[in-house]
Amino acid sequence: LGYMFMQCISGKLIDIIGVYRGFAITVVIWSIAAAGHALATGALSLGALRFVLGLGEAGNWPASIKVVATWFPPRERATATGLFNSGSIIGAMISAPLIAWMALTVGWRWAFVLTGATGFIWMALWLIFYRSPKTHPRLSPEELTHIQTVNGANEGKANEPVPTWFQLLRLRKVWGLIIARIFSDPVWWFWVFWLPEYLKNARGFGMEAIGRYAWIPFLTAGVGSLVGGMASSRMVRRGAVPIRARKFVMLWAAIGMLSGIPAVLTSSAQLAIAFLSVATFCYCVWASNILTIPADLFPDSLVGSVAGIAGTGAAFGGMIFTLATGLLVDHFSYTPVFFIAGAMPLVSITVLYTMVRGGEADRSAA
């Protein structure tokens, strides 16, 4: 709920005050909330801290996509998105065995404290090293000219007022992105949040076994993030319209995510992990491209706002699906949840093909 509430606000904030300060503010909120989990004394206080954590985390995606839109031409954007998105996947991969080890040795409270501390380390590095292309001391004049040329349609709009949410919501393609993410992002949220619980309750894994195996689907996800970005970027370099290249790659990713369904049907825990690993690979192929689309269709001055609005849809879908998952598991089993999660990306890709159309020409008219 906190993540959903803050997506639109953080995206617009970043468009108004800039990514340098806006990103730092959101990470400070996230870091304080993450470390604060160690003070939780019950479900109510833990829930309140989780809400604040969502407020801070919401700024990550609009800010990251805005950085990509500012620094990279269309033929490189999805690759850049895949690279930064793989960072979150690598973090999830490392955290599975690391958090299991910490919980068994020093306790769960220290896990939250140390995780929150990494946010402050990142913020310090960000404030020291990040600069826009116009002010970066190591950017050559030729490189700056190249960036300004390929993103030239955006330069004239840099100082124009940022449209309101209501103005952006009049656009069909914005609604297409919202609806597509309502149906696609909950799939990832399901695997991230419910995988340890599923392995424990449905497959009989203990904490040690979860730490030993739960990182594998995140490893394949990280690879998928890179592969998905590079695949559409290569198509763009060969002359494809960016939005068409993204959707073509995402179509095959949506089909590949159906592999999550047999994961719940097989009696072999190892085979279930293998099917899930294919599904997470395909999801991150998808993610690298859908996260890039706002930068393909809108000028830099709108990218944060549009990414935030689309992220609101993602958070809404994730919140509803998380609640539905709990109800389905309590009253039935994990089987219907896996079937629904496997089919939802097909709905998303249908929405994208019918509602999100255009190319680079849209950026100057958006």
Side-chain angles (χ1 to χ4, degrees):
L1 179 62
Y3 186 78
M4 181 184 71
F5 173 77
M6 197 64 178
Q7 275 282 340
C8 284
I9 297 174
S10 61
K12 190 173 181 64
L13 173 71
I14 288 165
D15 276 340
I16 293 174
I17 71 173
V19 70
Y20 181 75
R21 290 182 295 169
F23 210 166
I25 290 171
T26 61
V27 171
V28 168
I29 296 171
W30 182 92
S31 303
I32 293 173
H37 280 55
L39 303 176
T41 57
L44 182 61
S45 58
L46 181 64
L49 288 162
R50 298 298 288 174
F51 181 87
V52 179
L53 187 78
L55 296 179
E57 186 171 345
N60 179 71
W61 309 109
S64 297
I65 294 301
K66 192 172 182 71
V67 170
V68 169
T70 302
W71 272 92
F72 295 92
R75 64 178 179 271
E76 299 172 359
R77 283 192 196 117
T79 300
T81 301
L83 283 168
F84 87 68
N85 193 48
S86 69
S88 63
I89 309 303
I90 293 170
M93 180 182 70
I94 295 172
S95 69
L98 181 61
I99 298 303
W101 173 80
M102 294 181 67
L104 293 171
T105 54
V106 297
W108 62 269
R109 296 182 187 275
W110 275 106
F112 284 116
V113 171
L114 295 175
T115 303
T118 62
F120 287 106
I121 296 172
W122 178 91
M123 185 194 66
L125 295 173
W126 168 261
L127 293 176
I128 292 171
F129 291 109
Y130 182 79
R131 297 293 183 272
S132 71
K134 289 184 177 180
T135 60
H136 201 290
R138 296 179 61 184
L139 196 69
S140 69
E142 293 78 14
E143 290 170 322
L144 179 59
T145 300
H146 172 68
I147 293 174
Q148 291 178 334
T149 298
V150 296
N151 291 337
N154 307 326
E155 293 299 318
K157 295 182 174 287
N159 296 319
E160 292 184 10
V162 177
T164 66
W165 297 311
F166 299 105
Q167 290 172 319
L168 290 172
L169 289 174
R170 294 174 185 170
L171 300 176
R172 177 185 175 91
K173 55 192 173 185
V174 171
W175 276 106
L177 288 172
I178 293 171
I179 297 171
R181 294 196 62 184
I182 285 176
F183 283 94
S184 64
D185 282 56
V187 179
W188 177 249
W189 290 38
F190 168 61
W191 289 328
V192 169
F193 295 145
W194 287 90
L195 180 59
E197 187 76 7
Y198 168 73
L199 294 176
K200 175 184 176 183
N201 292 334
R203 296 291 180 176
F205 281 34
M207 179 69 76
E208 183 179 350
I210 291 174
R212 188 183 308 127
Y213 293 106
W215 62 272
I216 298 175
F218 295 109
L219 173 63
T220 57
V223 176
S225 186
L226 297 174
V227 170
M230 290 189 293
S232 67
S233 291
R234 183 173 183 179
M235 292 179 64
V236 175
R237 287 196 298 271
R238 292 185 171 186
V241 175
I243 187 65
R244 294 178 183 174
R246 316 294 185 217
K247 289 192 288 189
F248 179 78
V249 173
M250 291 167 68
L251 172 61
W252 289 103
I255 296 172
M257 278 186 269
L258 289 169
S259 62
I261 295 176
V264 76
L265 300 177
T266 179
S267 59
S268 168
Q270 288 76 17
L271 197 55
I273 292 290
F275 280 124
L276 285 172
S277 297
V278 174
T280 56
F281 171 89
C282 292
Y283 176 83
C284 284
V285 169
W286 168 284
S288 294
N289 287 278
I290 198 168
L291 290 172
T292 307
I293 288 177
D296 290 328
L297 295 181
F298 296 91
D300 294 350
S301 59
L302 301 181
V303 169
S305 296
V306 174
I309 291 173
T312 300
F316 175 77
M319 183 175 64
I320 297 301
F321 194 68
T322 297
L323 294 170
T325 297
L327 291 173
L328 289 170
V329 171
D330 280 347
H331 292 88
F332 300 98
S333 68
Y334 280 97
T335 301
V337 183
F338 274 79
F339 271 83
I340 295 170
M344 285 171 64
L346 297 178
V347 178
S348 291
I349 194 64
T350 302
V351 171
L352 286 173
Y353 267 99
T354 55
M355 296 185 67
V356 181
R357 298 177 180 176
E360 286 301 298
D362 290 304
R363 292 171 60 84
S364 61

